[in-house]
Structure formats: C-alpha cells, structure tokens
Amino acid sequence: MRSSVKLGSVFGVPIGLNFSWFLTFGFVVLTLAIRVYPDIFPDSSTWLYWLMGVISGVLFFASILTHEMAHSLIAKAYGIPVKGITLFIFGGVSQITREAARPLAEFIMAFAGPATSILLAGVFGLLWWLTGGAEDEPLPVVLEWLWLMNLFLGAFNLTPGFPMDGGRILRSVLWGVTGNYRLSTHWASRIGQLMAYGLMLAGFAGMIRLIPFLDPVGSLWLIVLGMFLDSAARQSWRQVRTLEFLKAFSARDVMTADFSTSEAATTISEVAAGHPRALRSGGVFVVEDERVVGLVQGEALRSLKRDGWQTTPIGKLMTPTSEVRVVGPDEDAASILQTLESEDLSCVPVVEGGRLLGVVTREDVARLLAGHRELTT
Ligand SMILES: [Zn+2]
C-alpha cells in the first residue's frame, strides 16, 4: 500500500495517506453530517453538523493511526523494521517488513492493536460519561460515537481470520501449541477466507434488500472489503509457501559469482556500456588497487538524472564497504529475500571471512521462484 500524501513521522514511523483514504474520510464525514447527527438533533444548524462530522472523522482516523502505531512500535521493539503506516480505503495498515520470529512476539504484536482500540473506547467512554452523556448536546454525542466506533474497531479486528489481527492472534496460539508455523498459517488464512466470503455474502444479501439495515452503499462496501480480505488471506498463505521454498536454498546456491567491478573514476555511461544488466538490476562493485571499496546499487543509479551519466564517476554513487549490508554463504534465501525487501536493496554481497564470494540480486531470487512456480502450477 503506497502513501500518496506523506504526513511526517511519529516515533520514527513515517505516516502517510493513500488517495483511496479520502473517499472513506469523505464518506464518514458526509454520513455523520447529513444523516446521523441531524437525526439526533433535528433543530440545529447545518454548520454544527458539519463541524461535528469533521471533528468525529479526524478523531476516528487518529484512533486508527494509534491502533496501527501500537503494532508498529511493538514490531520495532522486537527489532523488526517498520516502513511506515498508511491510511487507506479500509482503514490503516502498518508496513511491518518481517514476520515475528516467535509465537509470543507475534501474539503481542497482533494483540497490541485491538487492545489499543479498546483502551481508546474506554477513554472516550469515560469522557462521554464525564460530560454527562446527554443525547442532545454536541460534545457527548461525538464522544459517544467515538467510543462506539473504537469498540467496534477493536472487536472487528479480533475476528480470528487472516489478515485481521485476530487471525494473527489465532496463528500465534496455534503456532505456540503445535510448533508448526505452516499449518497454523494455513488454518488462519482459511478462516480468513471464510470470513471474507461471509462479508461478500452479506453484501449481496444487502444489495437485494434481504438485510433491511444495509443500504446499497454499505452493501457494496462489504462486498469490496470481502474481496480485499480474501485476496490478502490468499496472499499471506502464498508468501509463507514462498519463504518455505526459499529456505531450502543458501546464499551460495543462489548467488552470481561473476560480479561486475569498476574503477571509482570510471563514468557511469562507461560502466553502463560495459555491464548493462548489472547496473540495471543488481550492483557494481567499485575497486581500487584490486580491493573492493564500495558497492553501487540499482537504486543509487536511478536517483541520478540520465544527463549526468556522462560526467559522474561511479565512485560518487557508491556505498562504502563498511556500510554495505552483507550476508554469509550459508544464510538461507528466504531471509535474504526479506533483507532485500525490508531494506530496499537490489542486491546483497555474499562475504566469508572478509572475502567477497558473489552477489545475490533480486533477479536471482525471482528466477529461482519462477522455476518453482513452473513446477508447482
Ligand atoms: Zn490491527
């Protein structure tokens, strides 16, 4: 999920909005301002309904951000890098780059979100109670809506199917009890798919007016949400199988041993002419007196405009060896793929005892996976 609008960082976690979020935000504010609040106090002014709608909407999405922040901060505490939090059409998502290594860590990471929502429901509920809980005053009505929504958010996320938090909790418990990560993921994602079908079915029933309180927009939203959850559940299961397949290979099996090298002073155009593929998809090692001093990754190159290629020496784009992420020859391909993805690298050098053995590029891993898919489909 890409952020289209970046809002800045909180506790070192970048926060952003996907364009699809504006649709949901607009829908929430509109529903509150033109339907929900005018129904509760019919004789007030339009601007008050809109003001209450906007305040409710902003605080609701701030609550969702707080829920996601709880997942992200626990992940960081376990040493798992977090790329950021994005709000989108179905709420929020934390881009946590790796799965937890142990069931307990996964349990705590997953539970932190719903627990935060329920805590927020308690805080808004307490404020609602302190303001008297009147049904005809703006502040208590907004607070009441907020505690109800947070309670709903916490409860909905606890439903036990992947990719909901409840599905992760279920997987961590099954994983802890059986010790079988694969089987636990299989069950949690199957239940997730069943839930998704249930939502789609409810949506279709709403469409043909079988469920009286569901309007066409709500029904359509349920169908789309169901489709999204179904594909997310399938994807998490596919990802587990992919990583499992890659675990059987080591860096030594996957790496390319004839890596490309260049002198630091050589211009990028010259390197591009000599090693077109390495520059595009992998990396070029920079050597000085036959010693490797740095690495230029595909990303660094893409950050430079093409008209600078003629004059820029490749040494200018390199990351010095001391800062390059390397792996040992026995590290498995699954963990290498996760490193490439979580650190946004195009390749990672394979080093043993200070000696460069080769390089594993994303393409190397993709090729291995493509072969696997041909065999299994
Ligand atoms: Zn969550």
Side-chain angles (χ1 to χ4, degrees), residues 111-162:
F111 191 65
T116 302
S117 294
I118 290 166
L119 196 75
L120 282 170
V123 171
F124 286 121
L126 184 71
L127 290 172
W128 169 72
W129 180 74
L130 287 174
T131 54
E135 286 294 328
D136 53 356
E137 284 171 38
L139 186 61
V141 167
V142 168
L143 289 168
E144 183 180 14
W145 184 78
L146 283 168
W147 79 253
L148 282 169
M149 287 308 279
N150 271 290
L151 192 67
F152 168 75
L153 208 67
F156 182 65
N157 273 290
L158 281 174
T159 39
F162 239 73

Side-chain angles (χ1 to χ4, degrees), residues 67-68 71 113-114 157 165:
H67 170 122
E68 294 304 327
H71 289 307
N157 273 290
D165 295 330

Side-chain angles (χ1 to χ4, degrees), residues 318-360:
M318 79 173 190
T319 311
T321 324
S322 58
E323 291 165 26
V324 173
R325 178 78 156 86
V326 298
V327 295
D330 297 319
E331 187 154 339
D332 70 65
S335 105
I336 294 175
L337 177 64
Q338 285 174 310
T339 303
L340 290 172
E341 279 179 357
S342 65
E343 296 175 32
D344 265 332
L345 303 170
S346 60
C347 69
V348 55
V350 184
V351 174
E352 186 178 42
R355 208 165 58 87
L356 181 62
L357 302 179
V359 58
V360 179

